[in-house]
Amino acid sequence: MTRQVLTRCSGLFLLAAVSAAPLNAQVAESYPVHPDAVAQDSVPRGEVTAHTWNDSKIYPGTHRDYFVYVPSQYDGTEPAAVMVFQDGQKYVRKNSTWALPNVFDNLIHRGEMPVTIAICINPGVVPGGDAESQDRFNRSFEYDSVSDRYARFVIDEILPTVGKKYRLTDDPNLRAIGGSSSGAIAALGVAWHRPDQFRRVFSTVGTYVGLRGGHNYPTMIRKTEPKPLKIFLQDGSNDLNIYAGDWWNANRTMLSALQWAGYDVENVWGEGGHNGKHGSAIFPDAMKWLWADWQTPITTDTTSHPELKDITIAGESWRSVSIDEAPESIRQNMDRRGDQIRVGDLRYQADPQKGTLTQFVDGGSGASVRPCPSRPAGLAVTPDRRFLLVTDAGGRYVWSYRIDPDGNLVDGQPYSFLHQAVDATDPVAAGAAMTREGRLVVATDLGVQIFDQPGRVHAILNRPVAGGRMRDCAFGGEDMQTLFVVCGDDIFARDLQLVGHDESSPPAKPPKPRL
């Protein structure tokens, strides 16, 4: 038995015949061919050329093919918009249901998307060497990993190579990226990690599950300051349900997170399985939505964000400042070789290189604190002077110690849970700061993580710039409402609604938190 299914795309409806079946079962899918997927005699046709890339420094030893579509309207007088696709060959091969050259030809001809060069990249393969050896297939490593590695490959290796022949825009508003399955999570990851380079995402049957940590994205989307992205999602209720997770539930969870955080997101759900049939059938309409109003920059706003509306200030972002404007603690500790903090006559010192946490009394020798983090780095004291918090440059917890009446650090616990890049090989949590209400603020490679008193991250402020280690943070300014951070070798400042509290501030009992 079959039933007719309506799916929505920006006010357009596509009729599909789908066999009735239980969720996650195999179904027979049939979709009409979209008119814009068919070559039109009156429309100028672009050209697709094939290339190879065997010189990657980011994925050493890999060999791969990639394909470049250039529309007939491109003449080199102006930079072209760019769209990158993963598993690239399927989008441009002859008789493909995706029919990318036809779709782009038709939409560009009618002015429904800009003059766009498509770069369609296959995943890398490391040859085994002979007929008796199996090759190493890089697809999951490149696509499913939750890091900026694949973004660097696209941005630093492929775009410059294609850019030697064609003028490509460097405007992130005119750069899009898309894919299906693992190619979809790769596309989302490129834009998520580098919104300074890509701001439009096309995702079909996205693999936002536990293959290499992709199930973490919805949580990070909810907690992280929204990025200026426009995202299209497609999936079907009979998508995969295997050891790594349930694709259908994962895609709906992604949609919920994006909507909650205020992103510009569109979705089309159906009853299809883990394939490109539904995605390719709606591909032209998805491209119309994704590129609509491309002349207007994609922006973001936190004024209605449930967590950030009480932390950030509308219109305020990171600004570069000189070292003379930074608080003394940052000026004295630019090399981030450790941290020290005073509480009355007591001094505590963290040394991540030696892996030591030491407490001193004025005029006396130091005493080592055990247990302690593997690489103690940043220090902050609660407003009531009763607890010392110690970040770990090599772990995912901030330790909490009670300061007893004699100044000893006791009852140490790995207390506050830090978020880290899922595949980070050298995770770093560096400097720490405290707010008047008892929130802990920590500089990390993911951004500035803001904890409540029970040790939970409620919000993550985006990094000031993509490159460089986040090495320190401190509140300053006349009202202690300016947060200063060290990123790479530069210092940045941002005005917030939070009020800082350091060891020079008078003691104050913070309010009881929600537990």
Side-chain angles (χ1 to χ4, degrees):
M1 181 180 72
T2 62
R3 59 173 174 261
Q4 300 297 310
V5 178
L6 283 175
T7 57
R8 178 178 61 86
C9 182
S10 300
L12 300 178
F13 290 88
L14 181 70
L15 188 63
V18 181
S19 295
L23 292 183
N24 306 117
Q26 293 295 320
V27 298
E29 299 175 64
S30 176
Y31 304 92
V33 176
H34 197 291
D36 285 329
V38 179
Q40 306 294 330
D41 292 338
S42 60
V43 174
R45 298 186 183 182
E47 180 184 19
V48 176
T49 55
H51 310 266
T52 59
W53 180 248
N54 303 324
D55 193 29
S56 178
K57 301 299 187 294
I58 295 172
Y59 298 112
T62 53
H63 293 203
R64 77 187 70 227
D65 296 325
Y66 68 94
F67 307 83
V68 180
Y69 159 85
V70 180
S72 64
Q73 292 85 350
Y74 173 79
D75 60 11
T77 59
E78 297 290 337
V82 176
M83 189 160 187
V84 175
F85 289 87
Q86 281 54 249
D87 298 308
Q89 187 170 7
K90 72 181 182 183
Y91 291 93
V92 296
R93 68 171 178 253
K94 188 177 182 179
N95 298 325
S96 167
T97 58
W98 292 97
L100 182 149
N102 294 342
V103 172
F104 277 35
D105 285 347
N106 292 327
L107 299 190
I108 293 171
H109 176 69
R110 295 201 304 267
E112 293 180 303
M113 63 183 289
V115 174
T116 303
I117 289 177
I119 305 172
C120 304
I121 313 168
N122 284 353
V125 176
V126 179
D130 55 45
E132 303 303 316
S133 304
Q134 184 57 271
D135 297 338
R136 188 176 76 199
F137 298 96
N138 254 36
R139 185 174 184 270
S140 180
F141 174 50
E142 294 177 6
Y143 290 179
D144 295 318
S145 296
V146 181
S147 73
D148 70 346
R149 188 182 293 110
Y150 187 72
R152 289 187 285 110
F153 165 73
V154 172
I155 295 163
D156 298 338
E157 295 190 348
I158 297 298
L159 289 185
T161 299
V162 178
K164 291 177 181 178
K165 185 173 182 180
Y166 304 104
R167 292 187 66 190
L168 305 179
T169 183
D170 58 5
D171 180 356
N173 189 65
L174 294 176
R175 285 182 174 181
I177 187 165
S180 183
S181 186
S182 291
I185 192 174
L188 185 282
V190 169
W192 172 261
H193 288 97
R194 296 298 302 273
D196 63 316
Q197 298 289 325
F198 286 88
R199 293 190 176 175
R200 300 174 193 268
V201 178
F202 172 66
S203 164
T204 63
V205 293
T207 303
Y208 306 110
V209 295
L211 289 176
R212 293 177 179 265
H215 60 290
N216 289 283
Y217 270 125
T219 297
M220 299 309 296
I221 286 168
R222 288 176 179 270
K223 293 188 177 186
T224 303
E225 182 178 4
K227 303 168 189 282
L229 304 179
K230 186 177 185 180
I231 301 169
F232 182 94
L233 300 174
Q234 174 274 330
D235 198 25
S237 58
N238 286 285
D239 203 343
L240 292 176
N241 185 6
I242 59 173
Y243 69 95
D246 186 322
W247 269 243
W248 171 234
N249 285 333
N251 275 269
R252 290 186 295 170
T253 300
M254 279 289 291
L255 175 64
S256 175
L258 290 164
Q259 291 173 332
W260 184 89
Y263 280 81
D264 186 1
V265 58
E266 175 67 290
N267 70 287
V268 171
W269 298 152
E271 294 185 355
H274 195 75
N275 55 59
K277 295 177 181 179
H278 188 194
S280 61
I282 64 172
F283 181 50
D285 289 333
M287 291 299 97
K288 294 173 191 176
W289 179 84
L290 194 66
W291 286 105
D293 301 321
W294 76 81
Q295 302 92 340
T296 303
I298 298 170
T299 58
T300 187
D301 180 26
T302 59
T303 55
S304 59
H305 189 283
E307 293 296 330
L308 290 162
K309 60 183 174 61
D310 297 325
I311 294 175
T312 60
I313 298 173
E316 293 290 337
S317 58
W318 295 108
R319 61 185 184 274
S320 179
V321 298
S322 69
I323 191 171
D324 295 332
E325 300 173 76
E328 182 179 0
S329 61
I330 285 182
R331 296 199 304 269
Q332 293 182 350
N333 199 25
M334 278 291 289
D335 58 3
R336 179 41 63 188
R337 294 179 179 174
D339 199 2
Q340 59 180 336
I341 194 170
R342 297 192 67 90
V343 181
D345 294 334
L346 307 169
R347 179 168 60 90
Y348 305 98
Q349 182 171 323
D351 189 327
Q353 278 74 37
K354 295 180 179 179
T356 57
L357 176 62
T358 310
Q359 59 187 51
F360 299 87
V361 177
D362 283 352
S365 59
S368 295
V369 177
R370 288 288 185 269
C372 77
S374 61
R375 292 166 60 190
L379 303 176
V381 65
T382 55
D384 54 15
R385 303 288 194 272
R386 297 299 172 88
F387 294 91
L388 182 73
L389 303 175
V390 184
T391 69
D392 187 352
R396 68 162 61 249
Y397 290 95
V398 178
W399 283 59
S400 175
Y401 295 88
R402 183 169 62 86
I403 304 174
D404 76 8
D406 295 325
N408 298 309
L409 300 181
V410 298
D411 303 328
Q413 297 178 2
Y415 182 71
S416 299
F417 181 85
L418 274 164
H419 290 286
Q420 295 175 348
V422 173
D423 69 345
T425 57
D426 185 21
V428 171
M434 181 62 60
T435 73
R436 187 169 61 190
E437 61 180 0
R439 295 195 191 193
L440 176 66
V441 177
V442 180
T444 75
D445 281 352
L446 288 181
V448 177
Q449 301 190 38
I450 301 174
F451 297 79
D452 63 7
Q453 288 175 258
R456 304 167 297 203
V457 174
H458 276 227
I460 303 175
L461 301 182
N462 289 325
R463 299 163 51 95
V465 292
R469 279 272 167 100
M470 294 279 286
R471 297 188 289 115
D472 206 354
C473 66
F475 282 98
E478 293 184 4
D479 53 7
M480 287 288 282
Q481 286 189 260
T482 302
L483 182 65
F484 294 81
V485 299
V486 179
C487 186
D489 295 324
D490 298 313
I491 302 173
F492 299 87
R494 184 171 181 177
D495 296 331
L496 301 172
Q497 295 189 59
L498 302 176
V499 179
H501 193 282
D502 61 20
E503 63 269 29
S504 65
S505 306
K509 180 181 178 180
K512 183 178 180 180
R514 293 183 61 184
L515 303 178

